[in-house]
Amino acid sequence: MPMSTRPLSRAAVLTAAVSLTAALATAPAQAATTEQRQRDFTAAATEFGVPENVLLGVSYLESRWDFNAGTPSTSAGYGPMHLTDVREAGAATSHHDEGTEDPRGDDARPALHPEAGPATPPPGLQTIDEAAQLTGQTAETLRTDPAQNIRGGAALLAKYHAGQADWYDAVARYSGSTGEAAQTFADEVFDTIKTGVARTTDDGQQVTLAATPDVAAKQHPGNPANVECPRTVACESVPAPYQELPNDDYGNHDLANRPVSQKIDHIVIHDTEGYWDSVLKLAQDPTYVSWHYTIRSNDGLIAQHVPTKDVAWHAGNWYINAKSIGIEHEGFAAKGTWYTEAMYRSSAKLVGYLARKYDIPLDRAHIIGHDNVPGTVPSTIAGMHWDPGPYWDWSHYFDLLGAPLGGFGLPGSSLVTIDPDFAKNQPIFTGCDAVGTPCAARGSEAVVLHSEPNDASPLLKDVGLHTDGSPSTMAVSDVGSRAATGQRYAVADVSGDWTAIWYLGQKGWFHNPRGARVAKPAIGLVVTPKPGLATIPVYGRAYPEPEAYPANVKVQAITPLPYTLAAGQKYSSAGTVGSEYYSATTFDVADHVVVKGKLKYVQIQFGHRIAFVKADDVRILPAF
């Protein structure tokens, strides 16, 4: 749930670009061949007496062997071995400095904007100092030179091993954790060693970990009985309080009886914009907001705070809150950081478990980011959060879920799935630091849209985000002209190597050349206004008609968003949903009511965020 970032001026961007160019000119040269990193692992393993498969396995679970352009992970880790240096990465921003979004997003209650102090990093996020002592290299060299970074990781593993009978405990210690979380990390490493893996890294290095079928990990002891987690992850209970507060207030979530009372339709992926210890303290604060789970970066440990049957205050849209599960990931979208493989794997196992439990489709219309949650009414759009940000690898995440994205339609389909090559797709955003330097050029899930089929044309307009009618910007927080991996859109036009999709009532153009497609043909349904309707309204929530409300429940307005969906335009359908409003404004659950109306809505992919249209306003058609 990151803070808002103000767009930079053109002059600031140009000045920063000059600085970035100079910095790149002095950066370490890339390896001469694509096999250099493999040789670096071999050399470091030999030098420090670490089994090469163990060194490769640990690195894979930290970074998938990527360099990530020398930028830090969400837990201040650098390079293939994730050597942590919080001094260089910088302490977290204040967790509360996140824009104007009301996490509850419920018009029936006063807006909630709780404050919290700065997030303090734990002392364990400084392994680079120990690695520097063991290798004789500076911290800067260990951050910026992949070969020396691998040496540093090997030196740490060798020290942690210290003559033990096997390497399991050394691997567990490398996670920076203890107990079951450290063991789960080690189990994942040895499972990777057992099955083997090969891939090309983000900087073009081909690395292979050969399978070792006879390697064995320890038996996972299982999780506490009071958590809702799969057995294959480490999970603990850190309950959020349901507590009365002064002045007839209460916190920090609402009791419910899902899925009996309401179907759970979505899982919302967030990042914390704070470090683990500070975030868990906030989760236990009755005056703060709430979410269902938090996942730790370095080892994938999961903490459950709110039972999934209950409604947490996390998405900034009460309709989505009432019908979703919120999962926070330790990290900082606002700082342009990257997410560890340990976190991706743990999160995917949790989401897969929850999706099976609640029959939630494994697609990007139902597994969404906080940045895909719509504003409730026009005035809330600009304050909506935009995490987990453009560096969350949705394609890899869905591979881990066993539901790969893209490539399921016929050539020439009028519906496409956004699916760029994450490593090669490197838009340059701004605003990842406080001084205006352009964000590092590295892999991203985001495809930037233009108003014409050329890179020089302005970005699209989002009148909800930019109420003055100005075009969207390349600020990392500005999602007004950005399509995300896995999202499906209707094709509006084609011009040479450029494809246009319908997006917020406009044609959004992106470069989609043959042989390097960033969008793949898709199969599905689209909606378009019924004949005779020039335009139809678009909504941020699917609320019932006024007649559906009982006398003791305040009627919720059905307020359209400030966009146009015109005749001839088409948008991808995620299915028809009923209209609902969960009235829960008092501590006494006896007063809580689920209001269900006769109105039907269709969920659509309208812009970067999902939206809803009334079923009576549209035709639902197969895409051809």
Side-chain angles (χ1 to χ4, degrees):
M1 38 173 98
M3 71 186 78
S4 297
T5 302
R6 298 174 66 91
L8 296 173
S9 69
R10 180 178 178 84
V13 172
L14 291 174
T15 300
V18 172
S19 300
L20 178 64
T21 301
L24 291 174
T26 60
Q30 294 294 337
T33 71
T34 58
E35 294 82 25
Q36 182 60 48
R37 187 150 307 151
Q38 185 87 54
R39 291 196 289 269
D40 292 340
F41 279 111
T42 301
T46 301
E47 179 183 359
F48 292 99
V50 179
E52 187 172 349
N53 61 356
V54 170
L55 185 61
L56 284 163
V58 169
S59 178
Y60 188 86
L61 204 66
E62 295 284 17
S63 68
R64 291 206 296 159
W65 309 320
D66 285 339
F67 182 53
N68 287 293
T71 59
S73 77
T74 58
S75 48
Y78 288 84
M81 294 304 300
H82 197 254
L83 300 178
T84 51
D85 187 356
V86 76
R87 286 194 308 268
E88 179 67 19
T93 56
S94 296
H95 188 86
H96 68 272
D97 187 15
E98 299 171 350
T100 60
E101 179 186 275
D102 168 16
R104 286 189 303 219
D106 183 7
D107 296 346
R109 286 182 282 192
L112 182 67
H113 298 298
E115 293 191 356
T120 304
L125 294 181
Q126 204 57 40
T127 62
I128 205 163
D129 293 342
E130 190 173 13
Q133 292 176 353
L134 293 170
T135 61
Q137 300 293 326
T138 65
E140 180 182 5
T141 299
L142 292 171
R143 288 193 307 268
T144 58
D145 186 325
Q148 294 301 325
N149 184 274
I150 292 168
R151 287 187 69 242
L156 288 174
L157 276 169
K159 180 179 180 180
Y160 298 160
H161 180 247
Q164 299 178 63
D166 61 49
W167 285 86
Y168 186 92
D169 290 339
V171 171
R173 182 177 173 185
Y174 196 95
S175 71
S177 305
T178 58
E180 188 178 345
Q183 181 177 323
T184 300
F185 176 89
D187 286 345
E188 287 285 348
V189 169
F190 281 93
D191 282 345
T192 303
I193 294 171
K194 183 175 182 177
T195 59
V197 65
R199 71 181 294 264
T200 302
T201 67
D202 61 350
D203 53 351
Q205 299 290 309
Q206 181 62 45
V207 183
T208 299
L209 169 58
T212 310
D214 58 346
V215 72
K218 296 182 180 180
Q219 181 65 37
H220 192 286
N223 292 310
N226 62 338
V227 295
E228 299 168 276
C229 290
R231 281 185 50 83
T232 53
V233 298
C235 197
E236 63 182 18
S237 176
V238 183
Y242 186 70
Q243 183 176 322
E244 284 190 278
L245 300 172
N247 301 318
D248 294 324
D249 195 8
Y250 68 97
N252 61 11
H253 59 280
D254 280 294
L255 303 186
N257 188 29
R258 305 183 307 174
V260 175
S261 58
Q262 290 183 281
K263 186 180 184 303
I264 300 173
D265 288 334
H266 299 94
I267 296 174
V268 182
I269 303 299
H270 304 256
D271 78 51
T272 59
E273 292 300 310
Y275 288 109
W276 175 262
D277 291 344
S278 300
V279 169
L280 261 59
K281 289 178 182 177
L282 293 174
Q284 299 171 81
D285 182 351
T287 67
Y288 202 64
V289 299
S290 56
W291 52 95
H292 293 88
Y293 298 90
T294 306
I295 305 181
R296 193 158 64 188
S297 174
N298 64 300
D299 57 5
L301 175 65
I302 299 171
Q304 183 172 9
H305 312 300
V306 177
T308 57
K309 74 176 185 63
D310 295 332
V311 176
W313 304 344
H314 63 97
N317 181 316
W318 184 244
Y319 176 80
I320 300 294
N321 278 343
K323 300 180 70 63
S324 71
I325 295 168
I327 303 176
E328 292 275 2
H329 298 75
E330 185 183 20
F332 306 93
K335 296 171 72 172
T337 49
W338 52 275
Y339 299 88
T340 65
E341 179 68 2
M343 178 184 285
Y344 276 127
R345 289 193 174 200
S346 186
S347 179
K349 289 180 179 181
L350 175 62
V351 168
Y353 161 84
L354 294 171
R356 290 188 296 272
K357 182 175 181 179
Y358 293 113
D359 194 26
I360 301 171
L362 289 177
D363 60 38
R364 285 286 282 115
H366 298 90
I367 312 301
I368 61 176
H370 197 171
D371 57 336
N372 306 135
V373 175
T376 54
V377 295
S379 62
T380 66
I381 294 172
M384 295 299 290
H385 292 181
W386 52 275
D387 53 306
Y391 303 116
W392 177 271
D393 191 343
W394 285 107
S395 181
H396 177 56
Y397 192 59
F398 271 77
D399 286 344
L400 292 172
L401 284 167
L405 300 169
F408 302 111
L410 297 174
S413 172
S414 62
L415 191 68
V416 293
T417 300
I418 303 299
D419 190 23
D421 183 314
F422 184 86
K424 296 178 180 178
N425 182 54
Q426 299 188 356
I428 304 298
F429 296 108
T430 62
C432 288
D433 63 18
V435 298
T437 306
C439 306
R442 59 190 178 89
S444 172
E445 56 87 46
V447 172
V448 177
L449 304 175
H450 289 264
S451 54
E452 300 291 342
N454 63 77
D455 287 322
S457 64
L459 304 187
L460 301 183
K461 296 179 179 181
D462 183 335
V463 296
L465 278 177
H466 302 279
T467 56
D468 62 356
S470 60
S472 299
T473 71
M474 289 299 292
V476 69
S477 62
D478 190 342
V479 299
S481 190
R482 189 184 302 172
T485 293
Q487 293 177 333
R488 292 194 296 186
Y489 296 91
V491 175
D493 205 349
V494 176
S495 177
D497 285 341
W498 287 75
T499 299
I501 55 176
W502 288 116
Y503 187 101
L504 297 179
Q506 307 156 80
K507 289 183 179 181
W509 291 91
F510 58 92
H511 195 223
N512 191 33
R514 187 184 302 273
R517 299 292 195 195
V518 299
K520 313 295 173 28
I523 299 171
L525 301 174
V526 295
V527 303
T528 192
K530 283 185 174 178
L533 297 177
T535 63
I536 62 171
V538 179
Y539 304 94
R541 47 198 183 184
Y543 276 173
E545 67 279 7
E547 297 77 19
Y549 290 80
N552 61 333
V553 176
K554 180 182 177 181
V555 173
Q556 299 298 300
I558 303 176
T559 305
L561 300 178
Y563 305 110
T564 299
L565 198 168
Q569 298 179 8
K570 296 178 181 178
Y571 294 86
S572 174
S573 167
T576 302
V577 298
S579 53
E580 294 183 7
Y581 172 69
Y582 183 40
S583 176
T585 60
T586 67
F587 184 75
D588 186 356
V589 295
D591 294 334
H592 297 185
V593 178
V594 177
V595 181
K596 297 190 178 185
K598 295 180 180 179
L599 265 179
K600 300 291 184 183
Y601 292 82
V602 180
Q603 180 184 318
I604 62 172
Q605 188 64 58
F606 188 57
H608 188 82
R609 302 180 187 273
I610 63 172
F612 302 92
V613 292
K614 291 180 180 178
D616 287 343
D617 287 342
V618 296
R619 290 189 297 160
I620 303 176
L621 306 169
F624 295 108

